[in-house]
Amino acid sequence: MVKGLKVGAAVLIALSLLSGCGSNDSSGGSGDSAGSGKVELQFLQYKPEARDTFDKLIAKFEQANPNIHVIQDNPPDASTALMTKAASGQLPDVIANGGDNVHASLVQSGVLADLSSDPNLQKVSDVYVKILHDISGSDKTYGIPYGVNANGVIYNKALFKEMNLTIPQTWDEFIALCKKIQDAGKLPFYFSFKDAWTSQPAFNALAASTQGSDFYKRHSEGKTTYTSEYKEAADKLLQLVTFGQKDSFGKGYNDANVAFAKGESVMYAQGVWAIAEIKKANPSIELGIFPYPATNDPSKNKLISGVDQLLSISASTEHPNEAKKFVEFLLDPANAKEYVKGVNTFSAVKGVTQDDPSVSDLAPYFDKGQIADFVDHYTPSNMKLDQLLQELIMKKDVAGFLKNMDDEWSKAESRK
């Protein structure tokens, strides 16, 4: 899951002032690589699990383009590092970050190149291009979707088979499934609310499928509120968490990955990003993942999928042609396939599939475009949605939670 940060007004002002300045200088910008005559491209990407895969792709690119040297930067807190570089006029030539409010802030500050007419956009799914437009609030395109992720219910296939369970298609079937597992003396879900962000995956799915059409647009225009449209999602989250272990606030994300891998629960409320960690704890586990059946109308139940990795170019790069060549290389179907295989994610590039059998249940939703973005991609981080959800789960006060959501949204808007 992409966990972004909202840039404060002061940083946005700094970005605006610096957006017209050259982003490269002798202290860390692009230039000749060690006097070799090669063009040097700075490439910042934010996913630590993608570093090795990008290293391999960069080596392949440099072999085909010996006059270009790509330097990968993958700092620990990449979103903060990216904004600091942007604010100081040192934006890397090529950026691979998430489709979230950090991207929106960069777009609004004018530091990214406009890629609206880039022919490479024809290679990617229109669904994810639209998601980036919705996030940035712009009808222009400043990043090309690359890797995409998915949020759902991970389940233990062996236990499903042993207990004669089937994947639910509706909310009522989902709750009946949880009760059947519970009645059999097993734990339906293992939760990890010690890490506040882990309260968000289930809520993202429940809200996205129940909040009504065009909620983000109507909400930004002041035509609706969380109170009027998020009660169903909040009620259903509280119902779902009753099927977890008693000490759900005493366990963190890593604890839950290991517990699920050991078979301590039949299901796990996470996303595809957890699969690799689960398999590290139990390489032989056979698992799958299905979208949350958030409503009793299967046609309204969306797969929650967002832009996990997008490719942008600095508006002030000294090497736009080389930067575009690197982006085009990454978007080549063969290279995009290598990326999704290495990072265990999905691709926004048309025709590039993820062949891991553990995610096969999600394929029909991608094929039909029955997809919605993560709710928290549209929520300013200074609202602290994760903490509000923790409070909701502990206090079970839905009305208070919804009021807090509306109040915190108003505060976040007033800070812009």
Side-chain angles (χ1 to χ4, degrees):
M1 185 166 86
V2 179
K3 299 189 287 294
L5 74 160
K6 188 70 177 178
V7 180
V11 176
L12 281 174
I13 292 170
L15 285 171
S16 299
L17 291 172
L18 289 163
S19 62
C21 304
S23 65
N24 303 309
D25 66 14
S26 60
S27 66
S30 302
D32 291 340
S33 180
S36 65
K38 291 184 178 182
V39 169
E40 182 180 282
L41 291 179
Q42 298 288 335
F43 170 54
L44 187 148
Q45 67 89 10
Y46 82 126
K47 293 177 70 66
E49 64 269 30
R51 186 178 185 92
D52 291 344
T53 298
F54 273 126
D55 277 341
K56 293 174 184 177
L57 288 169
I58 288 169
K60 184 178 177 182
F61 174 77
E62 290 181 341
Q63 186 174 13
N65 299 273
N67 63 318
I68 305 174
H69 178 49
V70 180
I71 300 176
Q72 178 182 181
D73 185 15
N74 179 225
D77 190 351
S79 292
T80 300
L82 177 59
M83 299 313 302
T84 299
K85 287 176 180 290
S88 63
Q90 294 294 315
L91 195 69
D93 302 284
V94 180
I95 305 107
N97 64 306
D100 54 18
N101 44 35
V102 172
H103 176 66
S105 295
L106 292 172
V107 169
Q108 292 158 13
S109 67
V111 298
L112 298 179
D114 183 356
L115 303 177
S116 301
S117 60
D118 193 314
N120 285 305
L121 282 172
Q122 303 304 313
K123 298 178 181 178
V124 302
S125 169
D126 292 340
V127 171
Y128 294 104
V129 175
K130 182 181 184 303
I131 283 176
L132 292 183
H133 288 175
D134 290 343
I135 289 170
S136 67
S138 172
D139 58 0
K140 295 184 178 180
T141 305
Y142 295 91
I144 300 178
Y146 190 49
V148 299
N149 54 19
N151 171 14
V153 179
I154 302 175
Y155 68 102
N156 186 313
K157 287 186 174 181
L159 291 177
F160 258 53
K161 184 176 181 180
E162 176 189 315
M163 301 177 69
N164 195 28
L165 305 174
T166 57
I167 294 174
Q169 302 300 313
T170 67
W171 178 256
D172 287 347
E173 290 177 2
F174 191 26
I175 295 304
L177 171 69
C178 292
K179 289 179 179 177
K180 183 176 180 179
I181 294 170
Q182 202 171 53
D183 291 344
K186 293 187 181 296
L187 184 66
F189 282 97
Y190 200 101
F191 293 112
S192 52
F193 300 139
K194 181 178 180 181
D195 288 327
W197 73 267
T198 66
S199 62
Q200 294 180 167
F203 187 74
N204 276 326
L206 296 173
S209 291
T210 61
Q211 66 189 358
S213 60
D214 299 323
F215 175 82
Y216 310 121
K217 182 175 184 296
R218 290 183 289 112
H219 191 243
S220 65
E221 294 172 349
K223 295 179 180 178
T224 189
T225 63
Y226 290 114
T227 296
S228 62
E229 296 195 48
Y230 267 46
K231 183 178 186 302
E232 183 178 355
D235 285 338
K236 287 182 172 178
L237 178 65
L238 290 183
Q239 188 175 9
L240 192 64
V241 299
T242 63
F243 296 106
Q245 81 278 19
K246 291 182 179 179
D247 64 339
S248 59
F249 279 90
K251 302 297 181 181
Y253 176 62
N254 293 331
D255 300 316
N257 287 336
V258 173
F260 177 76
K262 291 180 177 179
E264 293 184 28
S265 71
V266 178
M267 296 180 289
Y268 185 28
Q270 270 296 340
V272 295
W273 53 83
I275 291 175
E277 296 303 310
I278 293 166
K279 288 184 175 180
K280 284 179 184 178
N282 181 4
S284 64
I285 191 172
E286 186 181 4
L287 54 79
I289 180 170
F290 59 84
Y292 285 81
T295 78
N296 282 324
D297 182 349
S299 68
K300 293 182 179 178
N301 296 330
K302 305 291 179 62
L303 171 64
I304 308 309
S305 176
V307 179
D308 191 44
Q309 191 89 284
L310 60 89
L311 303 172
S312 297
I313 296 174
S314 168
S316 54
T317 176
E318 294 177 358
H319 306 290
N321 292 332
E322 289 82 0
K324 289 178 181 178
K325 181 175 285 191
F326 180 51
V327 168
E328 184 172 8
F329 168 86
L330 293 175
L331 290 165
D332 179 87
N335 298 323
K337 182 78 171 184
E338 186 173 342
Y339 175 80
V340 299
K341 184 177 180 181
V343 186
N344 196 38
T345 188
F346 298 89
S347 183
V349 179
K350 296 174 183 176
V352 177
T353 59
Q354 171 57 266
D355 301 323
D356 187 333
S358 64
V359 297
S360 60
D361 296 318
L362 304 181
Y365 290 83
F366 281 110
D367 293 342
K368 291 184 292 185
Q370 196 169 330
I371 289 167
D373 197 8
F374 290 79
V375 167
D376 58 13
H377 286 182
Y378 300 82
T379 307
S381 63
N382 52 18
M383 277 184 64
K384 302 189 185 307
L385 175 60
D386 55 351
Q387 294 179 23
L388 293 175
L389 287 169
Q390 279 187 321
E391 185 177 1
L392 168 65
I393 295 167
M394 285 189 287
K395 294 184 177 180
K396 301 177 176 53
D397 179 5
V398 172
F401 165 73
L402 296 173
K403 183 180 184 301
N404 286 339
M405 288 280 285
D406 285 325
D407 289 346
E408 290 303 317
W409 171 268
S410 297
K411 291 177 185 177
E413 287 293 288
S414 69
R415 298 188 191 108
K416 287 185 176 179

